[in-house]
């Protein structure tokens, strides 16, 4: 079984990025399990002084879950042409961690307009030594959709690219190197 940890860059209830990740969890092939990490809004502001021998429990929990996952599925909106502060904060807690470098990442994107945030995210993730799997990274025009995860998973125009991306991601994870 391949396990993926899904991280949404939006804290908003009904977030299109979160719903996309929840729909992906429903659509996951049988050999893939996707769980959503829901603690981003509860992480303290990153401060290197807190990142010593005993970082805050919420940070240790995030790092444990990153370490246990075979890959990360990230879907993040664009705020003011950049990465939302709360999501960048979560990434900052992972910069010095031993669990993050080398992680395979699939980037989902719920808005074709969010090109600057996507570019910024790619730069940050590569700087953190993540391995972005391009064939598993997709952009879907979901800005105006107000669908629940189950309804989103039933839309062929969404389900087909999501399943194709997840299948490509599982293949990349199973292929060493
Ligand atoms: C504070 C703020 C700033 C935003 N800035 C941008 C932006 O620069 N470019 C853009 O394409 N959309 C921008 N948006 C629109 C969001 O990216 C869009 O509403 C997206 O759907 C939010 O993702 P979510 O549905 O997962 O919460 C902004 C929204 C907010 C709340």
């Amino acid at each position: 079984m391949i396990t993926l940890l899904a991280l949404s860059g939006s804290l908003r209830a009904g977030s299109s990025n979160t719903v996309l990740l929840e729909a992906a969890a429903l659509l996951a092939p049988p050999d893939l399990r996707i769980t959503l990490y829901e603690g981003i809004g509860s992480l303290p502001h990153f401060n290197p002084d807190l990142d010593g021998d005993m970082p805050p429990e919420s940070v240790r929990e995030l790092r444990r879950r990153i370490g246990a996952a075979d890959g990360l599925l990230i879907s993040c909106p664009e705020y003011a042409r950049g990465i939302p502060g709360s999501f960048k904060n979560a990434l900052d807690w992972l910069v010095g961690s031993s669990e993050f470098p080398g992680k395979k990442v699939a980037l989902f994107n719920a808005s074709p307009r969010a090109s600057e945030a996507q570019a910024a995210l790619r730069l940050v993730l590569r700087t953190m030594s993540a391995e972005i799997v391009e064939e598993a990274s997709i952009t879907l025009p979901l800005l105006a959709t107000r669908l629940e995860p189950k309804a989103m998973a039933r839309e062929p125009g969404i389900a087909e690219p999501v399943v194709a991306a997840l299948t490509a991601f599982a293949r990349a994870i199973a292929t060493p190197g």
Side-chain angles (χ1 to χ4, degrees), residues 77-85 116-117:
E78 176 167 299
Y79 282 0
R81 303 178 78 182
I83 302 169
E116 309 245 25

Side-chain angles (χ1 to χ4, degrees), residues 14 20 22-23 31 52 64 79 85 98 101 104 117 128 136 150 171:
L20 175 58
E22 289 170 336
D31 59 338
R64 267 196 303 274
Y79 282 0
S98 59
K104 289 196 163 85
M128 294 167 66
K150 276 186 190 160
R171 199 180 312 119

Side-chain angles (χ1 to χ4, degrees), residues 8-12 14-18 76-82 110-111 113-115 143:
S8 173
S10 174
L11 301 179
R12 194 171 70 80
S15 150
S16 54
N17 287 279
T18 306
C76 183
E78 176 167 299
Y79 282 0
R81 303 178 78 182
S111 165
R113 277 190 352 209
S115 54
L143 258 192

Side-chain angles (χ1 to χ4, degrees), residues 52-84:
D53 293 341
M54 190 55 81
E57 170 52 27
S58 55
V59 172
R60 283 185 283 142
E61 150 86 3
L62 169 63
R63 290 176 178 172
R64 267 196 303 274
R65 292 189 62 184
I66 297 272
D70 296 306
L72 306 179
L73 192 54
I74 292 176
S75 190
C76 183
E78 176 167 299
Y79 282 0
R81 303 178 78 182
I83 302 169

Side-chain angles (χ1 to χ4, degrees), residues 26-145:
L26 296 173
L27 290 164
D31 59 338
L32 202 65
R33 188 172 51 233
I34 301 174
T35 53
L36 186 66
Y37 171 72
E38 296 183 272
I40 287 179
S42 311
L43 293 169
H45 290 162
F46 176 68
N47 177 347
D49 293 342
L50 299 178
D51 198 13
D53 293 341
M54 190 55 81
E57 170 52 27
S58 55
V59 172
R60 283 185 283 142
E61 150 86 3
L62 169 63
R63 290 176 178 172
R64 267 196 303 274
R65 292 189 62 184
I66 297 272
D70 296 306
L72 306 179
L73 192 54
I74 292 176
S75 190
C76 183
E78 176 167 299
Y79 282 0
R81 303 178 78 182
I83 302 169
S86 54
F87 193 66
K88 180 62 165 59
N89 182 59
L91 293 177
D92 285 345
W93 277 113
L94 297 170
V95 169
S97 75
S98 59
E99 292 85 355
F100 194 86
K103 272 292 156 193
K104 289 196 163 85
V105 175
L107 274 184
F108 280 19
N109 175 14
S111 165
R113 277 190 352 209
S115 54
E116 309 245 25
Q118 288 298 301
L121 200 48
R122 280 183 153 75
L123 179 63
V124 169
L125 292 170
R126 290 207 174 98
T127 302
M128 294 167 66
S129 301
E131 191 186 321
I132 298 170
V133 178
E134 293 297 345
E135 64 272 27
S137 298
I138 50 170
T139 294
L140 296 170
L142 303 180
L143 258 192
T145 55

